[in-house]
Amino acid sequence: MPVKADSTHGVVIQIHVLRDTKPGRYKKELLVSLGSEQSPVPFSFEVHPTTLPERQPLESVHWMWAQPENLTSGELPEWWSERHWQLLEQAGRQLRRFGDDTMYMPLINGEDALIQVRLGKDGSYHFDHSRFDRWAELFFGLGFRQIAGKHNINLGPRVHVLDESTGKKRRLLKDPKNREAWLAFIPTFYDSFHAHLKQKGWVDR
């Protein structure tokens, strides 16, 4: 970024301390470069004789929103594009560094849902779990122990289905206040979801 003369800028330094590092004060230098000029800036940090357990006794989760605009201040990628998945992975890695072991995730909410819902011509519902599988495998691979689904109490008005009769996507509830229709749909979704988790061996996660 452009730097103006006679201005002050801050720098955040993240230091990974190995578990067997001896306690004490460590002195280092940060080499600052501007064009062909370089200047060493001394700094120090303290390592305390405290080691946290590798597995924390408490579960920890921050609510990471999957919307592309919440993951970058740069050019917004398309939903579920490779760039979107890269940003999700970067955010997940940072949350793991913070100590999170549970990943909060969307389920069937929104037009670009993680789990896509299809309404058959016979009125039956079908669920595409392919994005969900990639999501789970990504964050399990980063070290998350479990995943937590989005709350469902007010989810109904935001669920969209692909209607095979018209070939178009529409809201599940034609009347967003129709609680009976929502409560009738929920068991269908969870029965399918549980069967899929069981097939993948993720029921306890």
Side-chain angles (χ1 to χ4, degrees), residues 102-116:
T102 301
M103 174 53 69
Y104 179 75
M105 65 174 185
L107 286 173
I108 53 176
N109 49 297
E111 292 187 60
D112 298 292
L114 185 68
I115 299 176
Q116 300 167 86

Side-chain angles (χ1 to χ4, degrees), residues 149-163:
K150 187 175 179 63
H151 307 80
N152 65 43
I153 187 169
N154 295 317
L155 192 59
R158 293 189 290 275
V159 175
H160 289 70
V161 299
L162 176 61
D163 192 334

